[in-house]
Amino acid sequence: MTDRTSDTLDLAPSADDLDALRDKYAAERDRRLRPDGAGQYRRAAGEFGYYAKDPYTPWTERQALTDRVEVLVVGAGFGGLVTAARLRQAGIDSLRLMDEAGDVGGTWYWNRYPGVHCDIESYVYMPLLEEVGTVPEWRYAPGEEIRRHAVAIAEAFDLYRDAVFQTRITELTWDDDAAEWIVNTDRGDRMRARFVVTSSGTLSQPKLPGIPGIESFRGHTFHTSRWDYGYTGGTPDGDLTGLADKKVAVIGTGATGLQVVPHVGRDAQHTFVFQRTPSTVDVRDNRRTDPDWAASLRPGWQKKRQDNFLAVVSGEDVDVDLTQDGWTSTPDLQRAMITGKLDPALTPQERERRDELLDAQKMDAIRARVDAVVDDPTIAEVLKPWYRYMCKRPGFSDTYLQTFNRENVTLVDAADHGGITRMTETGIVVGDTEYEVDCVIFATGFEVGVSGVLSGTMPVHGRDGRTLLEAWARGPETLHGFYSHGFPNLFQLGALQNANSVNFVHILQDQAEHIAAVVTAARQAGAGIVEPSEEAQREWTREVQESAFDNEQFQADCTPGYYNSEGKGRPNDFTYGPGPVEFHRVLEAWREEHLDEVLRVETEVCS
């Protein structure tokens, strides 16, 4: 069916319209609130550990390692890859990459489900394009193209040489006498490293819904991040011939569901889509890269485009928007969750009023698109999102809504029941209705914001045996989010007390360059220790807290999701409030003026 959506609305909502909209949003939020909050999910571990098993790379036995490297990078997603690449460029030869997966790629190693694409333009998302010498084939790259690019980075910078995969750290212990880390793993390794960089990511551990009776279902089940092509047939491009005679349930309608449902809906005998909260579904408009445009690119083109994208979505003043897509058209709306530059001419009340009006217009347009695309008005109503734009990560698709015009696709609204009621041996129950299915696909995403360091699954023992979690008992304390006093030569990548953006790979690139600069400075100065003072990390923690953008009420008003801990809310004082562009300026100035403050020449440098 043709998409009949107009791009703009003629009239802005009135005050009465906003009051009514707030009431509607509150009612829809309350329908979905659950007393257990994030406790409604369970880890893919223990009796459910098979959901996290790697289906892509056969297990390989190896001898335990007891050697020493100068730098160990934990995590082979884009954060770890770019960090390792920058360290290699800085002249570090003794470098090891480690990951639990069977190869590099991180999220893109795990996510190989049909239809998987990145929702950020590939020219700004995929790092080191110029260094590797490639231009993506698609504007919004499919997952396999992104995964192959991760492999290309590892090959270009010789990162496979000492890499170890299918390996998980079980303990990190600082050896003060040797000024290095002892690294124990689940493979029996007891290796040593002068520096350890953790980029173990927060999008690798699959998350399962805690549905009563989930263990009793006798049909086939799997998680989208461990897609079972042996059962479904086909490839990431689709053609799931194995589902032709199957009744299939897809649980989850977030970013993954938007991409999976069109393929399963087309190929399965019948598809049941179980929805608690609908996503926003804006136009994607993906297309192949214009070869003439690619040929016209000049050296430095990617950094220019990346910086422009980051500036636009952060609310910085720019002369031109080089990307011109759904993200760069909504920076004011993104400010509610990912902060940036604010208009000083407006009071906070005026700014909130303006942003709420813009938000209402955008969401009205998205809901109008549902009416324009979906034939059945009853189904269309269930698919309409009733919340502020950034309550959930915005979604984009040119095929998802259209799938609900198929006769073999059934949308099941589970909102009034707090989600799925239970599972039986043969199906899924919502309320008093059971839907018999042959296969259940969990499109329920990953554990977000919980790295191995933060969860305690990778215990870190610093000076005097004190653990990092003990040191952070009253809250995290770092300098710029990278390192903490009492834990020398340990660098962490991530958003904690650092910057954030919708294109987090750009943030990881900036973090990688910063870490490489600090390690290089330490080597040049003959410093055996990189460690911030207690005073420096206290000052930075205080600055992060004082500069934090107050979005507590915004999150409280949102429908439950991982942004607000399933309706429980969470403080926004874990990232730097003025935004990523300003944070990059802060880091540049610090490297010029204060970098030597974290360097201590008190021991010989390990060779």
Side-chain angles (χ1 to χ4, degrees):
M1 183 173 182
T2 303
D3 190 338
R4 302 185 296 269
T5 307
S6 61
D7 293 330
T8 59
L9 298 180
D10 295 331
L11 298 174
S14 67
D16 289 341
D17 291 334
L18 285 180
D19 286 339
L21 194 58
R22 293 188 197 107
D23 290 343
K24 175 68 172 176
Y25 285 177
E28 293 295 323
R29 176 202 62 208
D30 293 346
R31 289 178 63 204
R32 295 168 171 85
L33 284 173
R34 290 173 49 134
D36 51 356
Q40 68 191 269
Y41 295 102
R42 63 183 67 184
R43 299 197 78 212
E47 64 176 314
F48 297 101
Y50 60 90
Y51 282 104
K53 185 178 179 180
D54 186 347
Y56 309 122
T57 303
W59 180 262
T60 303
E61 296 293 342
R62 64 170 177 81
Q63 294 293 317
L65 298 172
T66 58
D67 57 352
R68 175 181 284 104
V69 294
E70 184 170 4
V71 182
L72 172 66
V73 178
V74 184
F78 279 140
L81 285 171
V82 178
T83 301
R86 294 306 188 205
L87 290 169
R88 189 73 93 200
Q89 287 178 319
I92 294 180
D93 186 65
S94 177
L95 185 154
R96 169 165 291 144
L97 203 61
M98 177 187 293
D99 202 286
E100 293 184 48
D103 201 347
V104 301
T107 299
W108 302 102
Y109 174 85
W110 296 115
N111 274 342
R112 305 193 196 189
Y113 56 80
V116 59
H117 282 67
C118 184
D119 63 359
I120 301 292
E121 187 187 72
S122 60
Y123 318 127
V124 301
Y125 178 80
M126 295 166 64
L128 308 182
L129 288 174
E130 290 190 76
E131 288 88 338
V132 173
T134 187
V135 176
E137 183 180 354
W138 289 87
R139 187 184 186 197
Y140 299 98
E144 182 60 14
E145 183 178 10
I146 300 173
R147 190 190 67 81
R148 289 198 306 267
H149 181 63
V151 171
I153 292 173
E155 292 174 341
F157 291 93
D158 193 23
L159 302 181
Y160 279 119
R161 186 200 316 165
D162 294 313
V164 289
F165 298 107
Q166 300 175 323
T167 303
R168 177 177 58 84
I169 290 180
T170 56
E171 191 173 44
L172 277 175
T173 304
W174 176 250
D175 183 338
D176 215 17
D177 293 332
E180 61 189 13
W181 288 95
I182 302 171
V183 184
N184 291 300
T185 79
D186 61 352
R187 292 293 202 114
D189 303 312
R190 188 175 173 83
M191 62 187 76
R192 289 174 173 264
R194 179 187 172 203
F195 296 105
V196 174
V197 181
T198 65
S199 181
S200 51
T202 58
L203 292 175
S204 60
Q205 180 65 33
K207 181 176 65 176
L208 296 171
I211 303 171
I214 187 174
E215 68 283 349
S216 65
F217 180 68
R218 292 186 176 180
H220 195 73
T221 64
F222 58 89
H223 191 276
T224 50
S225 67
R226 310 295 193 269
W227 193 271
D228 188 353
Y229 283 106
Y231 180 84
T232 68
T235 70
D237 293 325
D239 194 23
L240 310 178
T241 55
L243 301 182
D245 61 346
K246 302 294 192 299
K247 291 181 290 185
V248 181
V250 178
I251 299 177
T253 54
T256 298
L258 298 191
Q259 299 180 94
V260 166
V261 165
H263 288 279
V264 177
R266 183 192 62 203
D267 295 337
Q269 179 190 93
H270 198 96
T271 300
F272 296 93
V273 180
F274 290 83
Q275 171 191 279
R276 185 179 63 167
T277 306
S279 288
T280 57
V281 188
D282 212 339
V283 175
R284 164 52 64 222
D285 190 26
N286 199 9
R287 56 183 179 270
R288 290 186 181 275
T289 298
D290 180 353
D292 292 335
W293 175 80
S296 72
L297 297 172
R298 296 293 176 262
W301 71 268
Q302 188 182 28
K303 177 173 172 49
K304 179 180 178 181
R305 196 173 186 90
Q306 288 176 323
D307 289 347
N308 178 264
F309 180 88
L310 188 66
V312 172
V313 298
S314 300
E316 297 283 324
D317 294 326
V318 296
D319 295 329
V320 62
D321 172 5
L322 295 177
T323 305
Q324 297 184 28
D325 71 351
W327 290 111
T328 60
S329 67
T330 58
D332 289 336
L333 307 185
Q334 295 172 44
R335 187 163 54 234
M337 284 300 297
I338 302 172
T339 57
K341 188 174 181 180
L342 302 177
D343 185 350
L346 298 176
T347 66
Q349 294 78 16
E350 290 171 334
R351 185 165 55 245
E352 170 55 29
R353 171 73 175 178
R354 184 198 63 177
D355 290 353
E356 190 174 13
L357 287 168
L358 291 172
D359 196 295
Q361 287 180 279
K362 180 63 177 179
M363 292 302 291
D364 278 349
I366 285 173
R367 289 187 286 268
R369 183 177 186 231
V370 178
D371 283 329
V373 173
V374 179
D375 293 337
D376 187 326
T378 302
I379 297 175
E381 285 303 312
V382 178
L383 287 166
K384 289 179 182 177
W386 293 98
Y387 46 79
R388 292 280 293 269
Y389 186 66
M390 285 301 294
C391 282
K392 293 183 176 295
R393 187 175 176 99
F396 305 88
S397 176
D398 300 327
T399 56
Y400 177 76
L401 294 175
Q402 292 84 344
T403 302
F404 295 96
N405 292 330
R406 301 181 63 94
E407 292 184 0
N408 69 320
V409 175
T410 299
L411 177 64
V412 182
D413 182 12
D416 287 324
H417 305 279
I420 293 169
T421 305
R422 61 190 172 91
M423 290 178 68
T424 68
E425 292 182 354
T426 57
I428 296 174
V429 179
V430 175
D432 296 324
T433 305
E434 180 172 356
Y435 301 86
E436 291 191 358
V437 295
D438 301 298
C439 173
V440 178
I441 300 171
F442 294 107
T444 45
F446 297 100
E447 294 182 358
V448 178
V450 184
S451 66
V453 172
L454 292 176
S455 69
T457 57
M458 189 172 75
V460 179
H461 300 268
R463 295 189 189 278
D464 303 319
R466 190 185 191 195
T467 71
L468 186 61
L469 292 184
E470 287 174 341
W472 287 0
R474 296 184 179 180
E477 284 197 336
T478 72
L479 176 58
H480 301 138
F482 292 106
Y483 20 52
S484 293
H485 183 76
F487 301 86
N489 298 0
L490 177 65
F491 300 85
Q492 298 180 72
L493 279 76
L496 181 68
Q497 295 191 346
N498 203 288
N500 202 359
S501 178
V502 296
N503 180 18
F504 196 64
V505 169
H506 189 158
I507 303 300
L508 292 172
Q509 283 185 240
D510 287 346
Q511 293 178 359
E513 289 169 3
H514 179 78
I515 290 171
V518 173
V519 171
T520 298
R523 298 175 89 228
Q524 292 175 345
I529 300 294
V530 174
E531 181 181 9
S533 67
E534 290 183 276
E535 180 183 5
Q537 70 178 21
R538 274 197 304 268
E539 289 180 358
W540 178 250
T541 300
R542 183 167 52 250
E543 184 172 349
V544 170
Q545 292 171 342
E546 292 176 352
S547 69
F549 183 79
D550 183 6
N551 70 350
E552 184 175 358
Q553 188 58 53
F554 177 90
Q555 289 202 21
D557 292 339
C558 281
T559 189
Y562 73 84
Y563 273 10
N564 66 357
S565 296
E566 296 297 333
K568 298 296 184 180
R570 62 184 182 187
N572 195 37
D573 59 358
F574 64 95
T575 57
Y576 183 64
V581 176
E582 179 59 29
F583 180 73
H584 187 65
R585 297 185 186 115
V586 168
L587 287 187
E588 285 186 322
W590 180 86
R591 288 197 297 268
E592 288 289 329
E593 302 170 10
H594 302 290
L595 192 154
D596 60 337
E597 295 176 5
V598 302
L599 307 182
R600 290 167 53 185
V601 185
E602 62 176 27
T603 185
E604 289 187 9
V605 177
C606 300
S607 59

